[in-house]
Amino acid sequence: MLKKLSGLSGIAIIAILSLQTNAFAQNIVIPVETQHNALVLQTNKSNNLNIVYVGPTLTDKKEYEEVAAQYRQTDEYTGVSNAAYATTGSRSLFEPALTVTHADGNNSLDLQYVRHEAKKIDDNVSLLTVDLKDPIYNFEVRLFYKTYFKEDVTEQWSEIKHAEKGSVVLQKFASAGLYLKADNFWLRQYHGDWAKEMQPEESKLTHGIKTLDSKLGTRADLFQPPVFMVSLNKPATEDEGTVLYGSLEWSGNFRIDLELDNQDNLRVIAGINNHASPYTLQPGEVFTTPAFLSVLSFHGKGEASRKLQSWARNYKLLDGKGSRLTLLNNWEATYFDFNETKLKALLKDTKALGVDLFLLDDGWFANKYPRNNDGAGLGDWQENKAKLPNGIASLVSEAQANDVKFGIWVEPEMVNPKSELYEKHPDWVVKQPNRQEYYFRNQLVLDLSNPQVQEFVYNTVDNLFTKNPRLAYIKWDCNAVIYNAYSSHLKNQSHFYIQYVQGLYSVLQKLRKKYPTVPMMLCSGGGGRVDYAALQYFTEFWPSDNTDPLERIFMQWEYSYFYPAVSSSNHVTDWGKQPIKYRTDVAMMGKLGFDIVVSKLDAKDLQFCQEAIKTYNNIKPIIWQGNQYRLQDPAGNAVAAVLYLNEEKTSGVIFNYLVNNRYAAGSERPIRLKGLDPQKRYQLKELNLYPGTISSINSNKTYTGEFLMTVGYNPDVKAGRASVVLALNVIMENS
Ligand code: DGJ
């Protein structure tokens, strides 16, 4: 029996009033709607739950029922090829979301609709649950669909449980599935390595399965992050086309299968990677899968990313609407070679530069095996007495005396074999008992599936705060992947990869309970661990150790499709050949920091940086909280341009860069702006001028939004003006 609940602004919610078990419930239609999108679920005559539509919302909700009949694709043999949560062993012939071995050894699973319930969490967020059950086995799945109306974002996950007479093994246990129909599909995926993160590849999907995955355990995204885009019908451009963005909220091994089937439809199944991880589920135990995140746009990649960025700031990223600290980091300025005197000088430089905080990086700890290089000391989190005879406390006080804040680097999940921790607790280390040890950056991973290790990792960070209550920032690094996966704590080794991540989250949850807002940077030898599950605990991430600004223009461009500028830590370093202005301008497109030897800057460079930081402090609310419009792609153009515009469309900042040094390369044609109010008049003014240079921009002229969006504006980028930052401001009517 169907009943529509009215009066729930804009969200169609249909609730089943009676509980139906195994009754024929054909044609129960459940639209999962956001402002512009609908994912429509429908039961078939065998009571299985299918996806019949993913597309723009329809005004007449009853018409969702008519969608399926309009398709005349090849024979559908199974009745479940479009399953909302595909299983193995009954009629499904395709990639499953869930494969199980029941207590009696049987491998079949047939999930049938039981009931569903829609709840409104607030004006914007709704939660739909759909219960499914096997008619033969005492095995149940609850599907969750959490929708964010304004942002058109959906999070999907599942809970799996049973009451069989023994344990059930989950062989594959994905979070969710989608089923898309289009003429063809174009996948944009990413690959990389250290210093080469977020390298895009776009290709037309062919029949069969394309899998995006990681088996690296900790630094899971080193070779491939979980984010991807699928364009429907034709490759979406920045402003045109239908495109779905997806990602898994999980900081470990993931697996995303994209299967183009015999009917030319695309099945997307995403979840924890089941590789080496069959999960033994006890009767009554609930296995909750992580959320699969998706956003759909019918107006190109730009709109999809603005929706996702806004969702992240509002709902996911820790303190997404809050402020951030600018900083001076000492990693590239000193590496491991520092002592108290040197650091005290750097604290003065921090003040002179004008940033908020000094961040002490790797190398401050360990005594028996001092951390003077990356071969020793990890795990021994006591201040190194030779370098810091008066401890961190004296640096924190000195920072305060200089009127700057103090932050510190840790890598608490890791251990060097050359460490006291390793000597004392070899059983805490992830390694095979009877095999040779293999190291990644001379280190091993601690076994976070073990509660004692969780306690140790928690205490490592907690002690720093307890001893130094004014500590204002943590950079949490994670440099090794998992080799020789084995936990001496776990009885079932197949649970290791999963329980490692759960252990990590439980430490982070405990830390956040005690320190809810202290800013923390998520770092993994660069961007080896960037995902939205981790970002619930972190205020920002480190995209890459590669800070060459030319490389960063490309990398930050790709990251920005999925993550807002406020979460991207961008540091000015000595990487690259570009002058300090270019490096600083690029780093401003996010959360600005420096990692340079300030005392070695010449007077003009220092003056430039000081003024740039002041400018940044004025414009950072727009960069962090505004809407981002990618104006001109660095791939394929001599000039790249990005606009950040405030919600009111009255103020913006445009970053323009020369990314090609061929003869006479520059901004030959105007760059069309986006998102402005066509009727308003705007003025453009150049920011971040290097001392002694004069802008070629006439800031007395004004232009309508219409002109700037139709004809465009030429920032006059060329050799010698390779980086141009422009402030855009509305002229008040009567001024
Ligand atoms: C890798 C990080 O990405 C760097 O920024 C730096 O913190 C080093 N680790 C320190 O070992």
Side-chain angles (χ1 to χ4, degrees):
M1 178 187 176
L2 289 179
K3 189 179 176 203
K4 241 185 212 170
L5 297 183
S6 53
L8 296 171
S9 66
I11 301 182
I13 297 175
I14 300 172
I16 287 291
L17 293 183
S18 59
L19 198 102
Q20 304 186 24
T21 311
N22 292 341
F24 256 34
Q26 189 186 0
N27 263 344
I28 290 178
V29 180
I30 314 170
V32 186
E33 289 188 324
T34 58
Q35 188 173 11
H36 301 103
N37 306 336
L39 159 69
V40 181
L41 306 167
Q42 184 171 4
T43 54
N44 66 9
K45 58 178 185 298
S46 314
N47 211 15
N48 300 115
L49 187 73
N50 290 333
I51 300 173
V52 291
Y53 179 72
V54 176
T57 48
L58 300 181
T59 317
D60 180 354
K61 309 304 169 205
K62 274 195 72 58
E63 288 198 308
Y64 287 130
E65 287 176 42
E66 308 302 329
V67 174
Q70 301 311 312
Y71 286 85
R72 300 271 187 279
Q73 293 167 285
T74 67
D75 283 347
E76 213 291 65
Y77 303 102
T78 72
V80 288
S81 64
N82 53 338
Y85 198 64
T87 58
T88 303
S90 55
R91 279 154 302 134
S92 173
L93 301 173
F94 299 99
E95 185 59 34
L98 184 61
T99 306
V100 307
T101 302
H102 294 286
D104 65 1
N106 188 293
N107 286 326
S108 70
L109 186 64
D110 182 17
L111 290 177
Q112 299 193 350
Y113 170 90
V114 179
R115 66 191 290 269
H116 72 280
E117 190 182 315
K119 272 192 227 147
K120 220 163 149 49
I121 295 175
D122 61 31
D123 275 355
N124 196 44
V125 187
S126 301
L127 183 66
L128 169 81
T129 53
V130 188
D131 292 350
L132 309 173
K133 193 176 178 321
D134 190 293
I136 306 296
Y137 285 90
N138 209 337
F139 191 100
E140 291 171 32
V141 170
R142 175 170 284 179
L143 301 180
F144 292 80
Y145 296 83
K146 189 169 184 184
T147 47
Y148 300 83
F149 183 75
K150 262 203 324 251
E151 295 81 6
D152 288 319
V153 165
T154 305
E155 290 181 294
Q156 291 173 246
W157 69 95
S158 58
E159 278 179 4
I160 305 164
K161 65 175 182 185
H162 70 90
E164 298 190 18
K165 290 197 178 72
S167 55
V168 169
V169 180
L170 309 182
Q171 311 286 1
K172 192 179 182 204
F173 36 89
S175 300
L178 283 176
Y179 197 64
L180 308 172
K181 297 189 177 203
D183 297 343
N184 47 57
F185 303 90
W186 297 81
L187 171 69
R188 190 174 184 86
Q189 61 181 97
Y190 295 87
H191 66 100
D193 202 335
W194 177 77
K196 289 193 270 185
E197 289 87 343
M198 289 302 276
Q199 308 291 317
E201 268 174 325
E202 197 156 317
S203 56
K204 189 175 171 186
L205 283 169
T206 54
H207 289 83
I209 301 184
K210 170 88 190 178
T211 298
L212 309 176
D213 82 335
S214 166
K215 303 182 182 77
L216 280 59
T218 32
R219 200 174 168 177
D221 307 342
L222 179 64
F223 303 143
Q224 181 149 72
V227 290
F228 67 95
M229 298 178 196
V230 176
S231 299
L232 277 62
N233 302 316
K234 58 178 187 200
T237 63
E238 204 51 36
D239 302 302
E240 284 174 357
T242 300
V243 61
L244 174 108
Y245 286 18
S247 188
L248 191 73
E249 299 177 29
W250 182 247
S251 311
N253 296 347
F254 62 85
R255 171 170 171 181
I256 297 154
D257 294 307
L258 301 119
E259 181 175 31
L260 190 58
D261 66 17
N262 62 321
Q263 291 197 302
D264 310 322
N265 300 327
L266 187 69
R267 182 174 300 99
V268 181
I269 297 199
I272 295 177
N273 200 336
N274 56 335
H275 162 78
S277 300
Y279 192 91
T280 303
L281 192 69
Q282 300 304 329
E285 182 186 346
V286 178
F287 185 86
T288 305
T289 63
F292 168 60
L293 168 71
S294 65
V295 61
L296 184 63
S297 161
F298 309 106
H299 302 107
K301 297 173 183 172
E303 186 189 80
S305 72
R306 283 185 291 281
K307 289 175 179 185
L308 197 54
Q309 291 181 4
S310 153
W311 168 83
R313 285 187 302 252
N314 285 320
Y315 296 104
K316 225 14 128 169
L317 173 70
L318 187 83
D319 203 16
K321 304 294 276 181
S323 191
R324 299 291 186 273
L325 299 166
T326 55
L327 59 84
L328 177 67
N329 187 193
N330 72 312
W331 175 239
E332 294 189 16
T334 65
Y335 291 104
F336 296 96
D337 181 19
F338 57 80
N339 56 27
E340 188 176 290
T341 317
K342 231 184 196 179
L343 294 180
K344 287 193 170 168
L346 294 184
L347 286 166
K348 294 207 161 33
D349 290 345
T350 309
K351 181 66 188 166
L353 193 60
V355 289
D356 303 318
L357 174 133
F358 175 74
L359 170 60
L360 175 59
D361 215 286
D362 194 356
W364 57 267
F365 49 89
N367 288 295
K368 181 170 176 191
Y369 303 105
R371 181 77 172 165
N372 292 328
N373 54 56
D374 62 17
L378 265 187
D380 300 344
W381 298 104
Q382 299 78 33
E383 292 101 326
N384 177 279
K385 293 207 172 75
K387 288 182 191 172
L388 305 177
N390 301 302
I392 299 294
S394 101
L395 295 172
V396 179
S397 307
E398 184 73 8
Q400 205 194 12
N402 282 287
D403 193 24
V404 292
K405 294 179 193 297
F406 188 86
I408 202 159
W409 177 97
V410 286
E411 193 179 4
E413 296 161 76
M414 304 280 159
V415 61
N416 282 124
K418 249 173 126 181
S419 69
E420 290 183 83
L421 181 69
Y422 184 94
E423 289 172 350
K424 256 193 255 156
H425 293 291
D427 55 318
W428 284 7
V429 178
V430 175
K431 61 188 177 102
Q432 290 287 346
N434 48 8
R435 290 187 193 277
Q436 187 196 333
E437 290 179 8
Y438 295 106
Y439 307 123
F440 197 102
R441 206 197 186 205
N442 310 310
Q443 65 198 56
L444 289 159
V445 178
L446 292 175
D447 177 11
L448 268 177
S449 72
N450 181 341
Q452 282 183 307
V453 177
Q454 292 168 22
E455 193 61 18
F456 169 82
V457 172
Y458 172 81
N459 286 338
T460 301
V461 181
D462 184 44
N463 286 343
L464 282 167
F465 283 118
T466 321
K467 286 199 206 146
N468 308 287
R470 284 200 301 270
L471 190 64
Y473 187 92
I474 295 281
K475 175 178 178 181
W476 183 303
D477 210 344
C478 163
N479 282 288
V481 301
I482 291 179
Y483 286 145
N484 271 343
Y486 181 87
S487 156
S488 52
H489 160 76
L490 287 180
K491 282 207 184 73
N492 187 342
Q493 295 302 317
S494 300
H495 291 193
F496 168 69
Y497 284 116
I498 297 168
Q499 288 193 219
Y500 183 94
V501 179
Q502 289 169 340
L504 172 67
Y505 293 157
S506 95
V507 172
L508 290 167
Q509 269 154 24
K510 198 165 159 195
L511 280 170
R512 279 310 181 191
K513 216 165 167 207
K514 188 156 176 197
Y515 309 103
T517 52
V518 60
M520 290 213 299
M521 183 206 284
L522 172 64
C523 175
S524 183
R529 184 195 260 173
V530 188
D531 68 85
Y532 274 118
L535 284 171
Q536 297 176 85
Y537 308 104
F538 292 86
T539 48
E540 54 222 67
F541 68 89
W542 182 235
S544 176
D545 277 356
N546 188 340
T547 44
D548 176 327
L550 193 57
E551 295 291 335
R552 273 296 183 112
I553 289 170
F554 289 81
M555 223 184 256
Q556 289 171 198
W557 181 280
E558 298 299 334
Y559 269 117
S560 78
Y561 283 121
F562 304 95
Y563 301 100
V566 68
S567 65
S568 177
S569 292
N570 303 337
H571 293 182
V572 178
T573 72
D574 287 331
W575 282 56
K577 301 186 182 75
Q578 292 76 10
I580 193 96
K581 168 173 162 52
Y582 194 107
R583 287 181 269 149
T584 309
D585 291 352
V586 172
M588 276 197 183
M589 294 192 298
K591 209 224 78 173
L592 176 67
F594 289 79
D595 195 348
I596 47 171
V597 185
V598 176
S599 58
K600 285 201 184 137
L601 290 176
D602 72 28
K604 273 191 174 176
D605 279 4
L606 177 61
Q607 186 192 339
F608 169 78
C609 291
Q610 290 166 326
E611 284 167 7
I613 291 160
K614 285 188 194 135
T615 303
Y616 181 73
N617 286 337
N618 290 329
I619 60 175
K620 64 191 182 188
I622 300 172
I623 298 169
W624 293 348
Q625 301 299 332
N627 285 313
Q628 184 199 31
Y629 293 86
R630 287 176 216 82
L631 304 177
Q632 202 160 280
D633 195 335
N637 292 293
V639 173
V642 178
L643 161 70
Y644 298 87
L645 186 65
N646 68 356
E647 202 60 50
E648 301 75 33
K649 302 168 187 266
T650 51
S651 293
V653 191
I654 312 162
F655 293 90
N656 308 274
Y657 306 102
L658 187 63
V659 291
N660 178 331
N661 58 11
R662 295 197 64 180
Y663 176 73
S667 52
E668 289 171 8
R669 286 176 286 279
I671 294 170
R672 279 195 286 273
L673 306 193
K674 298 175 187 175
L676 307 184
D677 182 335
Q679 261 117 56
K680 294 235 156 70
R681 291 195 81 82
Y682 294 87
Q683 192 172 40
L684 290 124
K685 184 173 175 244
E686 187 161 357
L687 303 176
N688 277 11
L689 281 169
Y690 191 76
T693 56
I694 293 167
S695 175
S696 56
I697 302 298
N698 181 348
S699 56
N700 293 321
K701 285 208 156 166
T702 65
Y703 307 87
T704 59
E706 181 197 35
F707 179 90
L708 293 170
M709 293 193 290
T710 311
V711 177
Y713 184 79
N714 198 319
D716 191 23
V717 174
K718 56 192 175 199
R721 264 179 72 78
S723 168
V724 175
V725 184
L726 301 172
L728 175 87
N729 280 299
V730 148
I731 300 302
M732 291 305 151
E733 301 294 304
N734 300 324
S735 64

